Amino acid sequence: MRLLVVKLSSLGDVVQTLPVLHDIHARFPQAKVDWVVEEAFAELVRQAPSVERVIPVAQRRWRRSPLSPRTRGERGAAHAELRREAYDAVIDFQGLVKSAVVARRARLAPGGFTATYGNRSELCGYEWPVRYLLQRKVAMPLRIHAVARARLLAAQALGYAVPGDAPVYPWTLDVPASPPQVLLAHGTTRADNEWPAADWVALGRVLTAQGFDVLLPQAGDAEAEFAGRVAAQVGAGARVLPRMGLPALLAVMRGCSGLVGVDSGVAHMGVALDLPVVEIFSQPRAWRAGPVGRPHQRSVGGDGAPGAAEVIAAWDACWEARPVADLA
């Protein structure tokens, strides 16, 4: 069986779709799975050993110059890659017109089919025309976690029982750094997700007092300035990471001992690595995107941003509950 996963973006959504790989291979051990994804996230998907082939697309960039020779050439190459293999199933895990169009371009094997979500779920992206663009429409509950939604779609589309266990991600950790490091994932593209600098400083000081080094990533000038201010006030033991791409950041995170972050793709990467994670929510959406199924991963906040004391207490609880194998 050869399957094609269509999940183009964004970072957090791509990461939260990764558990379907384990589910599929648990039911179909010989299945070959390819994945279509935005070019910015292609290298992260390649870190999943169970993905046979990653097909990058650049829809975001192509929209800026749709008629340029480069865009036409890249579109043609991507289309050829989609037609290179014949798929028994093409599953659109995005549920948007742009992803459904990609799914339609893939070549189907005899008896093969396309599938996607049959309806909108609360706080999940969905565009109703996809019901008419793809063949099988899988009904979804109105209120469902993002990871459970993807796992349910795969199970219903491929005809196996919906898994009831905690999601399993394909990424693994390295030997933890010494002294142990905690990544503070402060960056977010949404202003209403931000957590105050004073609270990051308070958290950082507690972590360094506990013997952790504190790492602050940055992906732009504004984040670099913010991280620099926090690190300077935390003092010794806190440092700002150089600007790096997502694969390099994932490599750094593989050696970390934990993560505290706002609701963001980087925080979801920490969950996928099975680190002790505290994810900070400033809106009531933890039920849809927060960590689930593991005592060493928790969400805090909701109707408003939590205070530093609540986050520190959650971190202490997550650290105490971390897997026994990490206690050495």
Side-chain angles (χ1 to χ4, degrees):
M1 174 185 287
R2 182 173 285 273
L3 309 174
L4 181 65
V5 169
V6 180
K7 185 65 172 182
L8 308 178
S9 60
S10 58
L11 172 58
D13 294 336
V14 169
V15 172
Q16 291 190 314
T17 305
L18 288 171
V20 303
L21 298 172
H22 174 269
D23 294 348
I24 290 169
H25 284 107
R27 178 62 178 82
F28 306 104
Q30 303 306 314
K32 296 183 177 180
V33 181
D34 298 343
W35 191 311
V36 189
V37 68
E38 272 285 336
E39 59 183 358
F41 313 121
E43 289 304 319
L44 287 183
V45 177
R46 289 191 179 102
Q47 299 293 320
S50 54
V51 174
E52 184 90 0
R53 192 165 61 106
V54 176
I55 304 172
V57 296
Q59 290 188 345
R60 295 176 175 179
R61 181 166 53 80
W62 293 340
R63 284 196 296 267
R64 296 197 293 266
S65 53
L67 301 179
S68 72
R70 178 184 179 184
T71 295
R72 292 199 300 269
E74 290 178 349
R75 283 186 184 275
H79 185 264
E81 285 297 300
L82 285 168
R83 305 293 295 177
R84 195 174 98 184
E85 302 286 352
Y87 293 101
D88 298 292
V90 177
I91 307 179
D92 168 24
F93 288 91
Q94 194 117 13
L96 303 179
V97 170
K98 67 178 183 180
S99 55
V101 169
V102 170
R104 282 173 62 92
R105 288 174 177 158
R107 180 162 63 96
L108 295 177
F113 63 89
T114 58
T116 191
Y117 305 107
N119 56 279
R120 180 183 300 277
S121 295
E122 189 176 345
L123 298 182
C124 295
Y126 182 76
E127 294 174 344
W128 65 265
V130 302
R131 287 178 289 178
Y132 305 103
L133 292 173
L134 301 181
Q135 295 167 335
R136 296 189 184 179
K137 282 74 68 177
V138 177
M140 289 287 127
L142 177 62
R143 191 177 177 92
I144 185 171
H145 192 281
V147 176
R149 183 173 179 248
R151 298 178 77 191
L152 175 59
L153 173 59
Q156 296 284 1
L158 297 175
Y160 58 83
V162 180
D165 55 351
V168 177
Y169 291 85
W171 296 340
T172 56
L173 290 168
D174 293 334
V175 176
S178 182
Q181 300 173 341
V182 176
L183 190 87
L184 302 188
H186 59 91
T188 173
T189 57
R190 294 180 50 166
D192 56 359
N193 276 354
E194 293 174 355
W195 203 47
D199 289 333
W200 285 115
V201 171
L203 171 65
R205 287 174 175 171
V206 167
L207 290 171
T208 55
Q210 292 175 344
F212 297 100
D213 278 356
V214 169
L215 308 181
L216 293 110
Q218 48 91 13
D221 293 342
E223 286 188 12
E225 189 276 333
F226 183 90
R229 283 193 288 116
V230 171
Q233 293 180 66
V234 171
R239 63 186 174 95
V240 180
L241 294 174
R243 200 164 301 176
M244 61 184 69
L246 290 171
L249 180 58
L250 180 64
V252 170
M253 293 172 67
R254 287 184 192 273
C256 286
S257 293
L259 178 147
V260 180
V262 295
D263 175 24
S264 66
V266 175
H268 297 321
M269 288 169 64
V271 171
L273 286 167
D274 202 29
L275 292 169
V277 169
V278 177
E279 193 165 356
I280 300 166
F281 285 83
S282 301
Q283 312 89 32
R285 46 178 274 122
W287 63 266
R288 186 262 178 195
V292 293
R294 296 182 178 88
H296 56 287
Q297 297 178 342
R298 299 189 179 193
S299 57
V300 290
D303 291 332
E310 184 179 353
V311 173
I312 291 166
W315 165 257
D316 289 341
C318 287
W319 184 248
E320 182 66 25
R322 71 194 186 279
V324 174
D326 293 342
L327 295 176

